[in-house]
Amino acid sequence: MHILLMGPPGAGKGTQAAKLVEEFGVAHISTGDMFRAAVKNQTELGKRAQECMAAGKLVPDDVTIGIVKERLAQDDCKKGFILDGFPRTVEQAEALEKILKELDLALDCALNIDVPSAELVERAVGRRICKKCGATYNIKFKPPVKEGICDACGGELYQRADDSEATMKNRLAVYDEQTKPLIAFYKQNGLYKEVDGRQSMEAVYSDIIAALRG
Ligand code: ADP
Ligand code: ADP
Ligand code: ZN
């Protein structure tokens, strides 16, 4: 399995990637998670990414492509991988083709989770994440049993700084301008598949499985 999950911010990429990783045991490569870890640890990468993320803008392509190239060369990617949130620009998509060619790999499909922007703000603003294990919740659509506490590990839940209504507006504009053109890119090379992301998380997952088989 060598796939990428595309979709606007809040579409459910991380949620679906976590289920796929659990079922298929492949590597989960989330550039957003990698950048957040770098910001938390205040590494050189984190210092470069921080401002862009806070403003809801993309981290520059050269930086992003560099970390994905390194990540894909790691051993655990040999069992397959899910790219979540990368590529986000046509330049990144072209770089990915080159990286995969060098590794003698090819993508099986580019799967887009389609959700209209009106629903995305509500999803993102309600998103909560476990500090300890990274599990994702939603105060409206997937509330934890005990408010503010992770069902899986008892860790404390937090809200991402960029999951505010104002920053989400910027992220959606950036998506329309820079990331949406990837739909045409992957349609052109025949890898594009789409699922309706407005359904329940379970229904989206079964559609993804069907799309991967079909
Ligand atoms: P979401 O899944 O809600 O869209 P992510 O966790 O994927 O958010 O990304 C959070 C932020 O990290 C983005 O707004 C952007 O600043 C940065 N980022 C993540 N992936 C990329 C990428 N492929 N290219 C540039 N910036 C990225
Ligand atoms: P992304 O990685 O694309 O930004 P997430 O998987 O983090 O998206 O989901 C964004 C928020 O929406 C989370 O709070 C998640 O629990 C919630 N969510 C994910 N999928 C659905 C769905 N099908 N219906 C309702 N809420 C969802
Ligand atoms: Zn947890």
Side-chain angles (χ1 to χ4, degrees), residues 8-16 84 123-124 126-128 136-138 141-142 197 199-201 204:
K13 302 180 295 294
T15 299
Q16 300 299 331
D84 160 5
R123 284 195 188 181
R127 172 163 44 196
R128 299 290 183 276
T136 299
Y137 296 86
N138 191 288
F141 303 112
K142 194 192 176 184
Q199 316 171 81
S200 71
M201 295 173 203
V204 174

Side-chain angles (χ1 to χ4, degrees), residues 1-6 12-31 33-34 68 71-72 76-87 96 107-111 113 205 208-209 212:
M1 177 181 283
H2 303 103
I3 62 173
L4 56 94
L5 281 183
M6 309 167 30
K13 302 180 295 294
T15 299
Q16 300 299 331
K19 289 184 185 233
L20 289 165
V21 164
E22 198 180 298
E23 186 161 341
F24 297 98
V26 292
H28 180 193
I29 306 177
S30 158
T31 40
D33 286 349
M34 289 160 85
V68 172
R71 183 67 189 87
L72 281 170
D76 65 322
C77 293
K78 291 205 172 85
K79 53 191 186 184
F81 58 77
I82 298 169
L83 281 163
D84 160 5
F86 180 94
L96 177 63
L107 282 181
D108 309 325
C109 88
L111 215 129
I113 305 178
Y205 187 68
I208 288 176
I209 297 298
L212 293 179

Side-chain angles (χ1 to χ4, degrees), residues 23-103:
E23 186 161 341
F24 297 98
V26 292
H28 180 193
I29 306 177
S30 158
T31 40
D33 286 349
M34 289 160 85
F35 286 136
R36 273 184 293 280
V39 169
K40 191 174 161 201
N41 297 325
Q42 282 296 297
T43 63
E44 281 311 308
L45 173 69
K47 287 177 192 157
R48 285 194 71 178
Q50 196 159 17
E51 252 179 68
C52 304
M53 294 175 83
K57 293 184 187 150
L58 296 183
V59 177
D61 279 336
D62 59 335
V63 177
T64 308
I65 291 164
I67 64 163
V68 172
K69 187 173 179 177
E70 253 176 49
R71 183 67 189 87
L72 281 170
Q74 284 170 13
D75 249 7
D76 65 322
C77 293
K78 291 205 172 85
K79 53 191 186 184
F81 58 77
I82 298 169
L83 281 163
D84 160 5
F86 180 94
R88 261 178 155 96
T89 65
V90 171
E91 189 174 333
Q92 291 179 15
E94 284 167 347
L96 177 63
E97 286 192 333
K98 214 174 121 206
I99 293 168
L100 291 177
K101 203 174 260 173
E102 280 167 15
L103 293 168

Side-chain angles (χ1 to χ4, degrees), residues 190-205:
L191 293 176
Y192 186 78
K193 286 187 181 165
E194 187 177 289
V195 297
D196 181 356
R198 285 171 304 182
Q199 316 171 81
S200 71
M201 295 173 203
E202 293 72 24
V204 174
Y205 187 68

Side-chain angles (χ1 to χ4, degrees), residues 130 132-135 150 152-153 155:
C130 176
K132 228 161 108 186
C133 77
C150 177
C153 78

Side-chain angles (χ1 to χ4, degrees), residues 146-164:
K146 212 169 147 205
E147 194 185 322
I149 304 291
C150 177
D151 294 346
C153 78
E156 194 187 326
L157 303 186
Y158 78 98
Q159 184 172 21
R160 268 167 54 177
D162 61 346
D163 274 343
S164 67

